[in-house]
Amino acid sequence: MPEAYIYDAVRTPRGRGKPDGSLHEVSSLGLAVTALSALKERNNLDGAPVDDVILGCVDPVGEAGGDIARAAAISAGYGYGVPGVQINRFCASGLDSVNFAAAQIMSGQHELTIGGGVESMSRVGIGASGGAWPVDPTIAIPSYFMPQGVSADLIATKYGFSRDDVDAYAVQSQQRAARAWEEKRFAKSIAPVKDVNGLTILDRDEHMRPATDMQSLAALKPSFAFFAEQAGFDAVAIQAHPDVEKLTHVHHAGNSSGIVDGAAAVLLGSREAGERHGLKPRARVRAFANIGSEPALMLTGPVDVTKKLLAKAGMSLSDIDLIEVNEAFAAVVLRFMQAFGLDDSKVNVNGGAIALGHPLGATGAMLVGAALDELERSGKSTALVTLCIGAGMGTATIIERV
């Protein structure tokens, strides 16, 4: 079977996903074009026969609808012959886009593909595309639907994570992200977003709050307690997990992923395609997997899919040098480390979505780039990237530096 190599990865900085965020004036298409254009220019892809552009987008409606991948490929100057497709597996969409691109190469059907993602959360509101799960009782009731924040609090309660635990993790994420920027660990892969005059709008992640400490987080009220109690989701959680007598609500804006805008693109190809176009491989995709997990807990999928993927690859966690677990909520990462008996020395070493933000459809591709850059910076070999997913799923990928 042909191997899929990663030749490059770029991303935009993450802008605050609010009307006063720096990227609010930039359309979803503009964000995607920024990442795709940077990838094309960095790798001299003018005229290169790219076989497909696959972009994750969780809310593909309005300006982000209508197969944004095809529109972005044309707008970025890839030529009319380059197709595009948009996919949605909620928060893992960007990682699955990379995996789908890799699968095209590994199957021998394509030779040069791009996987990535885009989300403008300031312009296309989260949940704008709707869905049956929250509103149709025929699926909501038997699957114990509850908002993700309540599921995160259920995980914290069930597995024994206190408010201090989740806040301490959030402080660490902010500190690690600030250090990474100070040491220019992200600089290699950032594609600044510019306006029509070529002036830089944003060249640095702007959601970070490096001064965050335990005292400032302690002043924040839990975000999901009132909603859960008034709307009855506490009762739903206890019905799904009767071993839990009462939910402890510990998550808030400071220890949950930030709402941001951003895009990312990863260039993959066969060895032969790289040689033809003068590309040097940086890593290879060793294995990837998806899994379904319990919808009520919802966010424990990274544990389940990691077990599946390691068994498939014939590896153990001791074979993995770096791990990127998306910081949807602090309890997600704490549960992952608890389940595998890990300390934090190789998990999210440059911070994560709590500090940097989580542009839903793009995050998975961003994490691949972050893992790749850190493997090269640290001289290490192998990384695992994984994300939890709405409705109870998990996606994971292992990459190995060349």
Side-chain angles (χ1 to χ4, degrees), residues 277-302:
H277 298 289
L279 302 171
K280 182 180 179 181
R282 297 174 61 187
R284 69 183 180 101
V285 176
R286 182 155 178 174
F288 50 85
N290 299 93
I291 203 168
S293 61
E294 186 197 333
L297 278 178
M298 194 185 312
L299 309 173
T300 55

Side-chain angles (χ1 to χ4, degrees), residues 29-226:
L29 177 62
L31 293 174
V33 168
T34 296
L36 290 177
S37 296
L39 200 67
K40 179 165 69 75
E41 293 165 8
R42 283 162 55 119
N43 297 281
N44 299 312
L45 294 179
D46 278 323
V50 175
D51 292 302
D52 209 355
V53 174
I54 308 168
L55 295 182
C57 185
V58 173
D59 283 299
V61 296
E63 68 177 45
D67 190 358
I68 192 170
R70 170 61 171 168
I74 294 173
S75 188
Y78 279 80
Y80 293 162
V82 177
V85 62
Q86 172 269 325
I87 68 168
N88 179 11
R89 201 194 299 269
F90 299 140
C91 297
S93 300
L95 182 58
D96 257 327
S97 293
V98 174
N99 292 344
F100 284 17
Q104 291 177 336
I105 296 159
M106 295 162 78
S107 69
Q109 302 306 303
H110 288 174
E111 293 190 271
L112 202 61
T113 59
I114 294 171
V118 60
E119 209 79 46
S120 177
M121 300 182 76
S122 71
R123 296 170 63 94
V124 183
I126 186 171
S129 57
W133 192 39
V135 297
D136 188 332
T138 64
I139 179 63
I141 292 173
S143 61
Y144 300 102
F145 168 78
M146 65 187 81
Q148 282 195 355
V150 181
S151 290
D153 286 338
L154 174 60
I155 292 170
T157 304
K158 186 176 180 71
Y159 294 104
F161 305 125
S162 68
R163 172 67 182 260
D164 281 351
D165 292 333
V166 291
D167 282 357
Y169 182 83
V171 170
Q172 175 180 271
S173 180
Q174 294 283 356
Q175 292 173 343
R176 288 183 169 185
R179 181 192 63 193
W181 267 105
E182 289 168 4
E183 297 179 359
K184 299 182 178 180
R185 297 187 183 185
F186 300 135
K188 182 176 182 179
S189 298
I190 294 292
V193 181
K194 300 182 179 182
D195 64 16
V196 294
N197 298 310
L199 300 177
T200 297
I201 298 173
L202 187 66
D203 60 4
R204 181 181 175 88
D205 296 318
E206 70 172 347
H207 182 267
M208 295 185 299
R209 296 179 175 84
T212 298
D213 57 23
M214 293 293 287
Q215 289 71 32
S216 62
L217 293 183
L220 300 176
K221 294 182 179 180
S223 296
F224 307 101
F226 178 82

Side-chain angles (χ1 to χ4, degrees), residues 1 99 103 106 285-290 304-316 396-398:
M1 184 173 66
N99 292 344
M106 295 162 78
V285 176
R286 182 155 178 174
F288 50 85
N290 299 93
D304 302 324
V305 77
T306 295
K307 292 176 181 178
K308 177 180 179 179
L309 180 58
L310 290 173
K312 177 181 178 180
M315 302 173 71
S316 68
T397 305
I398 296 172

Side-chain angles (χ1 to χ4, degrees), residues 213-255:
D213 57 23
M214 293 293 287
Q215 289 71 32
S216 62
L217 293 183
L220 300 176
K221 294 182 179 180
S223 296
F224 307 101
F226 178 82
F227 181 70
E229 292 164 1
Q230 296 299 312
F233 287 112
D234 274 8
V236 174
I238 293 170
Q239 185 178 22
H241 287 266
D243 55 310
V244 174
E245 293 185 10
K246 179 178 175 59
L247 252 65
T248 302
H249 293 283
V250 297
H251 287 95
H252 50 73
N255 56 36

